[in-house]
Amino acid sequence: APGQFYMMKTFEVGRQNIDQNIVTIMPSMDPVPHVVKHVDVLQRILCRRPNGRYRTSAQCHSIEATGCEIWRVCGDVQKRDFKAKCLDEPREGATRKAPFINDTCIGRIMSEDETAQCRMIRDR
């Protein structure tokens, strides 16, 4: 949670509780988590479009894009189906222009290797 270091005194939460119970997800290219100091566990994730290129900063701050990236890499132990949200083309009037992830990349590590099945494009 952004700002937990500054909120510890307000909510009377100790550093040990934060260390043991809070994880901050930090998508690459999302500037918001960089604004504050983190005392919790920090998990960095990619923020790439289905074609392997970087998303914009605003797109990287999207909870939907973050959720889909976590699902793409980790799956879901409860076997929930995120395909409709993460793989389907956006509905008419939606702000996003493409699916959040590429279905061929589910469970795969993205790589810059030209022969990789799930390829990242070096574009920044």
Side-chain angles (χ1 to χ4, degrees), residues 14-82:
R15 188 178 190 133
Q16 185 174 352
N17 285 332
I18 289 175
D19 288 346
Q20 294 174 345
N21 298 300
I22 296 178
V23 175
T24 295
I25 306 297
M26 186 181 287
S28 60
M29 307 307 290
D30 181 353
V32 174
H34 295 276
V35 174
V36 295
K37 182 177 179 180
H38 294 276
V39 295
D40 59 338
V41 174
L42 185 62
Q43 177 62 55
R44 297 176 189 275
I45 64 171
L46 294 175
C47 186
R48 301 284 185 146
R49 296 186 301 220
N51 66 3
R53 296 188 181 281
Y54 281 109
R55 294 181 188 280
T56 66
S57 294
Q59 292 168 335
C60 288
H61 192 63
S62 158
I63 191 68
E64 293 172 315
T66 297
C68 288
E69 178 62 12
I70 291 171
W71 177 69
R72 181 190 73 76
V73 174
C74 302
D76 181 37
V77 295
Q78 295 180 4
K79 306 293 184 206
R80 293 171 289 192
D81 188 356
F82 292 91

Side-chain angles (χ1 to χ4, degrees), residues 75-117:
D76 181 37
V77 295
Q78 295 180 4
K79 306 293 184 206
R80 293 171 289 192
D81 188 356
F82 292 91
K83 291 177 185 171
K85 175 55 83 177
C86 299
L87 297 176
D88 288 354
E89 291 291 331
R91 294 188 176 136
E92 189 174 326
T95 56
R96 66 183 172 106
K97 305 287 188 241
F100 284 110
I101 60 174
N102 183 330
D103 64 341
T104 62
C105 293
I106 294 173
R108 299 189 184 279
I109 295 172
M110 293 186 91
S111 171
E112 291 181 348
D113 186 321
E114 290 187 23
T115 62
Q117 187 172 3

